[in-house]
Amino acid sequence: MKRIAKVHSDFPTKFGIPRQSGRVEELKARVVFEPEYRDPQAFRGLEEFTHIWLLWEFSEVRDRPWSPTVRPPRLGGNVRMGVFATRSPFRPNPIGLSCVRLERIQFHPALGPVLHIAGADLMDGTPVYDIKPYLPGTDSHPQASSGFAGKGANHRLEVIFPEHWLQMIPEEKRQALLAVLAEDPRPAYQHDPGRVYGMPFAGRDIHFTVEGDVLTVCEVVRTDIKNPGDPEWTFR
């Protein structure tokens, strides 16, 4: 298996990433290909599709052993389920699958074809191994059961984001951040109302507390450092 590309997103760590692709449509990311896969002919016809599948690697856990049972966050981290009944990263082969919206293909002078996607649930630097078009006629099954994963799937938090902190977020990323926070980025087993959580996002550390169904942002700290010599910087 060869890595064909990597993802550039606003999440430098796993914390805060939506639990599934498509949960936060406002989240934007880019797929930048390795030099040997930048041939424009490989992308011919891809612009006709609105959505694509990404097959990628849980790169942060590649050296960790797999387990036949895992504790799904959806069940509070207290109930064990079979790994093949979950989307846990701790698998025999750490392969992830995401369906994302293809916004456009940009032909960058230095990086070749770059895919601009929306609704991604991917950490910055995630290796991509393949891309396939999404086919609604065969890939969509509205009548399918979602099992235990459907429990509480539509629960959202109320987000209180003071204006002076919100102004520190780039305007084009504010709606995405608000949607991510409403999804409740905490691990499902943590419910300490006195704890201050920190979530890195788009070159900022977002500090917040959660009490009941209300998330309150209490501080935003800038952490980004520009690197003008890196042609991929503009995609971060």
Side-chain angles (χ1 to χ4, degrees):
M1 296 281 286
K2 295 182 179 180
R3 184 182 76 184
I4 65 169
K6 61 182 177 181
V7 172
H8 287 298
S9 76
D10 288 317
F11 292 100
T13 69
K14 295 182 293 182
F15 190 88
I17 296 178
R19 295 180 176 91
Q20 303 294 338
S21 58
R23 294 283 297 180
V24 179
E25 278 290 334
E26 298 89 345
L27 275 178
K28 306 298 177 67
R30 280 74 52 195
V31 180
V32 178
F33 290 82
E34 298 299 316
E36 62 184 300
Y37 302 109
R38 293 176 182 175
D39 187 338
Q41 295 187 76
F43 302 84
R44 184 186 303 167
L46 187 61
E47 73 282 355
E48 299 179 14
F49 296 90
T50 61
H51 292 73
I52 56 176
W53 289 106
L54 301 180
L55 281 79
W56 47 275
E57 180 188 11
F58 290 103
S59 52
E60 292 295 292
V61 301
R62 62 163 62 102
D63 297 323
R64 296 182 61 174
W66 77 284
S67 173
T69 62
V70 295
R71 303 175 187 267
R74 182 62 62 191
L75 299 179
N78 298 316
V79 180
R80 284 197 171 273
M81 302 296 287
V83 65
F84 298 128
T86 75
R87 296 190 175 184
S88 166
F90 306 108
R91 323 184 66 79
N93 293 302
I95 297 172
L97 178 69
S98 296
C99 182
V100 297
R101 179 161 53 88
L102 177 61
E103 293 196 314
R104 64 189 177 96
I105 304 175
Q106 175 191 9
F107 291 91
H108 190 277
L111 303 174
V114 174
L115 306 186
H116 291 253
I117 59 176
D121 57 340
L122 300 160
M123 189 175 69
D124 188 58
T126 294
V128 176
Y129 288 99
D130 200 8
I131 294 172
K132 301 180 188 295
Y134 173 87
L135 305 177
T138 56
D139 294 351
S140 176
H141 302 278
Q143 75 283 5
S145 169
S146 57
F148 67 83
K151 297 178 181 179
N154 295 319
H155 180 259
R156 298 289 188 279
L157 298 179
E158 176 187 352
V159 177
I160 298 176
F161 207 131
E163 185 63 26
H164 63 284
W165 293 127
L166 189 61
Q167 290 297 323
M168 291 186 63
I169 309 300
E171 185 175 0
E172 71 276 9
K173 298 182 184 293
R174 292 174 190 171
Q175 288 304 312
L177 176 57
L178 290 170
V180 167
L181 294 174
E183 286 274 312
D184 193 351
R186 300 173 300 165
Y189 52 83
Q190 293 184 0
H191 297 283
D192 181 2
R195 178 168 181 171
V196 177
Y197 298 89
M199 185 187 81
F201 179 83
R204 277 76 174 160
D205 272 344
I206 316 300
H207 298 166
F208 62 90
T209 61
V210 180
E211 185 168 2
D213 288 335
V214 179
L215 182 151
T216 303
V217 174
C218 53
E219 187 180 27
V220 175
V221 179
R222 288 200 62 165
T223 60
D224 55 334
I225 300 176
K226 291 187 177 182
N227 181 12
D230 181 0
E232 295 189 7
W233 171 257
T234 56
F235 295 97
R236 297 181 181 176

